[in-house]
Amino acid sequence: MFLREGGGWGGGAGPPRPRRRPAEPTGAQTRRHMSHPAPPRPTGVPAARRPELPPVHGAVICVAAPCLVISPEHGQLTGRGIDGIYRSGRRLLSRCVLRVGGRDPVAVQGRSLGADRAAFTATVRTGAEPGPDPDIGVERVRHADGTERITLRSFTGRPVRLPVEVLLGTDLAELAEVAAGRAGPELPAGVHAAGLRWSTGGAQAVTAAEPAPDDAVASAGLLRWQLELGPGESRTIELRTTHDRVVRAPAGQVANPLADARAEGDDPRAEAWFRTSVEDLGALLSRDPEEPGDAFAAAGAPWRLGLAPAESLWAARMALPLGTGLAAATLRILARTQTEGSGAEAGKIPGPLRGAGPQLPPACTGTEATLAFPAVLAEARLWGMPEEDVARLLPAAERCLDWLRGALGKDGFLADPEPGPRRCETQAHAHRAAVLGADLLAGCGRPGAEEWRERAAALRQRFREGFWIDGPDGGRPASALHPDGRPLPRLTGAAAHLLDTGLLGGGRLAPGLLDRIRTEQLARLLGAPAMDCGWGLRSMALKEPGHNPFGHRSGAVRAHESAVAVSGLAAAGFEKEAAGLLRGLLDAAEAFGYRLPEMFAAEQRTAGSAPIPHPAACRPAAVAAAAGVHVLTALAGIRPDAPAGTVALVPLPGAPLGAIRLAGLRVAGEPFAVRVSRLGLGMVEEAADALQLGG
């Protein structure tokens, strides 16, 4: 199931992904594949209300894409709201209510045990013993693949006979329909060999139990057991819910290309955050339906458990320290969607629109993905992507650069979408594509490198003249230029992308759009309270018109943008600002159980406060999970050049989290471990034999 980034719904495990096709007349392809808004309504016709997303920030979510389970904290699936067991966007089970001795257990605790499983603890007081103490303990361990194990343990001093009932039901609705409040009534059940089954149209679900129930009442959706427990004994009932009649629910996970890396150090929270981030990325891995051997990171659960080209590329890029396999597969998948032909859209990677807040019209994520493609390939090559994989993907990267050449306007800037605004971050993405693309072409012996270096230099000059707004406080970059050239003087988190220049060969950072003086001014702005709320980077400065602490582009903290700011500030040498944002993001991660949502409210941090969830945020989300990997590896400043056989370390001075060790990373396809001391000194502990410390 997939929620388009502009706010519309799409069905299945993701949006229909077009395969490579000829270019269409200007604008036609954009309208067809990028979800532009509908034509204007006639005057006087009211707008249809967009369905309100049900809040899930308090839910316990288990995911192993395409499997998903959304549970309330008490663990009982009541058949109301969005709770349920889903596979590929369809709800297989909406009601799973446990009763012991004729009563609902008293919920004690619900907690995540990992990305794909959760435990719910409850108690029952049967009255077999005098006093108020419960005498039966209940633990339910629920897995994303639809398996649930219910264990009852007796604390009584005498044998007890317990009637146990499980009430089951489902509507077999699509998640989009459930979220929009349009799910139908529960379907009638039929008796299965060891449980119940439901069907409608071409969909069906089966819940099987082991041991088989003593009684199954289809009309009531009821399974019943009589369990006898001696003192201290326990009994377990296993429920398996799947979409067919197989004995065991199939696992949803694909082969994981990510290294099982780990962190440890003076601050134990770094270890928990890194571990959870790696687990969540693995849980969001999904197969490409046309090439099942290729996996990508789905955008997030529950709303966008499918391919989002820009976000999947961002996640793959930030996860490069865990290996290049995810980047290679994601790039192959997107290369297959690239537009063919010779028109204006040739070479572009399609993507839906994404809301840009009240200040600007929606942006095209296809533009962002197209610009990211050559940059991700260039950096993946430096991290050690096999040369045969690079060679296979190089033609698609060259087509992305060809599209960029034709898309640049007469003013030298890139509109998004044409003829719309020239966004600050779009120019940063275009510049990075040009610089890293040139490095990629040169490293692979392909023509065109010098052309792109010259184009990048020209863009730097134009940007410094056109985008920078001088002022008594030192000035700021405009968030965008209107088509007529007027600047939009908003300070937004998108400015952090100006610091994300990318990695070149030899451990060098690519040049940025800003000169040193303006980079220093931007660093000061990003580290000030107007942008740093204490939990991360606001997506719009506090005093700007239209600021909304819940606005995903107008004030809320976006995890991956905060990570971009941390790594960019660290690379540029602004230790204080980088450390401040890093500590705030780590504190926020701790408050969210180390599973950061894709965004959360940017209320100012005060003594005793906590970050406030955004009700519509995905959690886990690929870019938020990858952000944890990105910022913690940024502490070590790892800058590899696998083709040259070198790796450089430029740790963040001051060691803001104390000593930290990262092990199980991958550079040049081999295990890589690095330690940063409390003095901020880096040391490689494990690396491929062919790698030399340098740069």
Side-chain angles (χ1 to χ4, degrees):
M1 185 272 163
F2 183 83
L3 173 62
R4 288 184 191 147
E5 300 189 56
W9 293 101
R17 293 195 297 101
R19 314 316 282 178
R20 189 179 296 168
R21 63 180 58 75
E24 300 183 40
T26 303
Q29 190 180 59
T30 298
R31 288 191 296 273
R32 180 177 300 177
H33 299 302
M34 299 184 189
S35 311
H36 267 244
R41 302 185 310 278
T43 303
V45 177
R49 288 193 63 181
R50 181 182 297 170
E52 197 72 31
L53 294 178
V56 293
H57 54 271
V60 180
I61 294 180
C62 306
V63 60
C67 302
L68 171 69
V69 178
I70 306 173
S71 307
E73 194 174 12
H74 53 69
Q76 297 272 44
L77 302 181
T78 62
R80 298 186 296 271
I82 199 171
D83 299 335
I85 297 174
Y86 296 82
R87 184 176 178 88
S88 299
R90 184 177 294 278
R91 182 156 64 180
L92 302 184
L93 198 67
S94 59
R95 185 159 55 105
C96 184
V97 175
L98 173 68
R99 290 178 180 164
V100 180
R103 66 189 71 187
D104 289 354
V106 176
V108 174
Q109 184 186 68
R111 67 192 190 281
S112 174
L113 299 179
D116 63 344
R117 61 197 186 281
F120 305 92
T121 303
T123 61
V124 176
R125 182 171 175 268
T126 65
E129 300 285 353
D133 297 336
D135 45 29
I136 299 293
V138 181
E139 182 172 65
R140 306 171 71 171
V141 178
R142 186 169 292 154
H143 294 250
D145 66 2
T147 302
E148 178 172 343
R149 293 178 179 86
I150 303 169
T151 300
L152 295 94
R153 180 173 288 105
S154 173
F155 305 134
T156 67
R158 65 190 73 177
V160 293
R161 183 177 177 84
L162 287 176
V164 177
E165 297 176 335
V166 177
L167 297 169
L168 303 171
T170 188
D171 48 19
L172 288 176
E174 294 281 355
L175 178 54
E177 299 299 313
V178 177
R182 296 194 295 265
E186 285 191 358
L187 299 169
V191 175
H192 180 61
L196 300 175
R197 60 178 173 83
W198 303 263
S199 62
T200 179
Q204 68 173 352
V206 172
T207 297
E210 185 181 325
D214 299 320
D215 194 15
V217 183
S219 60
L222 176 67
L223 303 180
R224 183 185 293 125
W225 294 261
Q226 290 288 339
L227 300 183
E228 295 186 1
L229 294 175
E233 286 187 346
S234 63
R235 295 284 301 275
T236 296
I237 296 170
E238 183 174 279
L239 304 176
R240 300 183 297 276
T241 299
T242 184
H243 63 323
D244 55 29
R245 303 187 186 191
V246 299
V247 175
R248 180 171 294 275
Q253 290 180 316
V254 301
N256 192 338
L258 303 172
D260 186 20
R262 58 198 180 277
E264 58 186 39
D266 289 346
D267 193 330
R269 299 176 303 165
E271 178 182 359
W273 188 18
F274 195 87
R275 181 182 65 251
T276 303
S277 296
V278 174
E279 287 180 356
D280 284 348
L281 272 175
L284 289 169
L285 292 178
S286 301
R287 300 179 191 273
D288 179 41
E290 297 196 19
E291 295 287 344
D294 285 343
F296 62 91
W303 310 123
R304 293 188 291 142
L305 203 57
L307 179 70
E311 293 190 13
S312 295
L313 271 179
W314 269 106
R317 182 188 179 210
M318 289 180 160
L320 282 173
L322 306 180
T324 62
L326 179 60
T330 305
L331 290 167
R332 285 194 295 267
I333 291 168
L334 294 179
R336 291 192 285 268
T337 74
Q338 195 172 33
T339 305
E340 283 189 330
S342 57
E345 297 298 299
K348 190 171 185 179
I349 295 170
L353 288 182
R354 174 170 55 210
Q359 310 296 329
L360 291 168
C364 180
T365 60
T367 299
E368 188 174 343
T370 306
L371 298 175
F373 192 105
V376 173
L377 180 58
E379 291 190 321
R381 175 176 174 268
L382 297 178
W383 280 89
M385 180 182 285
E387 289 298 329
E388 58 270 23
D389 289 344
V390 175
R392 178 180 173 187
L393 291 163
L394 189 57
E398 291 177 306
R399 286 192 290 270
C400 290
L401 294 173
D402 289 342
W403 173 84
L404 173 58
R405 181 189 295 111
L408 288 169
K410 293 181 180 179
D411 59 1
F413 296 124
L414 183 62
D416 183 26
E418 182 67 41
R422 280 75 170 138
R423 303 170 197 269
C424 168
E425 68 271 26
T426 303
Q427 313 319 308
H429 298 329
H431 179 260
R432 185 175 59 238
V435 177
L436 271 62
D439 203 52
L440 175 67
L441 295 175
C444 295
R446 298 288 295 166
E450 192 56 36
E451 174 201 349
W452 284 107
R453 291 191 183 105
E454 292 174 357
R455 287 182 177 274
L459 180 54
R460 285 195 292 275
Q461 182 63 32
R462 285 191 295 267
F463 188 90
R464 294 169 188 178
E465 295 172 353
F467 267 81
W468 191 263
I469 302 172
D470 289 316
D473 62 347
R476 63 172 63 181
S479 62
L481 298 183
H482 293 285
D484 61 7
R486 290 179 296 116
L488 181 63
R490 301 284 187 269
L491 179 60
T492 69
H497 292 275
L498 296 173
L499 301 175
D500 179 27
T501 60
L503 182 65
L504 299 176
R508 297 172 296 119
L509 294 177
L513 281 171
L514 300 178
D515 57 30
R516 182 65 186 178
I517 294 176
R518 290 167 176 166
T519 299
E520 185 174 356
Q521 169 64 3
L522 177 58
R524 186 185 67 80
L525 292 171
L526 296 181
M531 287 298 289
D532 182 357
C533 71
W535 303 110
L537 187 74
R538 290 185 170 98
S539 55
M540 182 185 286
L542 185 60
K543 300 297 184 181
E544 296 289 355
H547 172 84
N548 174 2
F550 285 92
H552 76 291
R553 298 274 168 167
S554 56
V557 173
R558 302 173 63 229
H560 101 278
E561 207 160 70
S562 294
V564 167
V566 170
S567 62
L569 288 164
F574 298 100
E575 172 192 351
K576 178 183 175 183
E577 292 81 2
L581 285 170
L582 169 60
R583 292 190 187 102
L585 205 56
L586 177 57
D587 291 342
E590 180 185 21
F592 284 111
Y594 301 105
R595 174 180 275 183
L596 272 177
E598 61 179 328
M599 59 183 170
F600 51 93
E603 294 286 8
Q604 186 62 44
R605 183 173 184 174
T606 58
S609 68
I612 299 174
H614 191 294
C618 287
R619 180 170 173 261
V623 289
V629 175
H630 191 60
V631 296
L632 292 173
T633 53
L635 286 174
I638 306 168
R639 301 181 186 177
D641 185 349
T646 65
V647 60
L649 294 183
V650 187
L652 183 63
L657 302 184
I660 187 169
R661 180 178 184 268
L662 302 169
L665 305 178
R666 289 290 185 274
V667 177
E670 298 291 335
F672 186 84
V674 60
R675 181 185 298 275
V676 180
S677 73
R678 295 171 185 170
L679 299 177
L681 301 176
M683 180 179 67
V684 174
E685 292 189 340
E686 183 181 15
D689 292 339
L691 280 181
Q692 298 294 322
L693 191 62

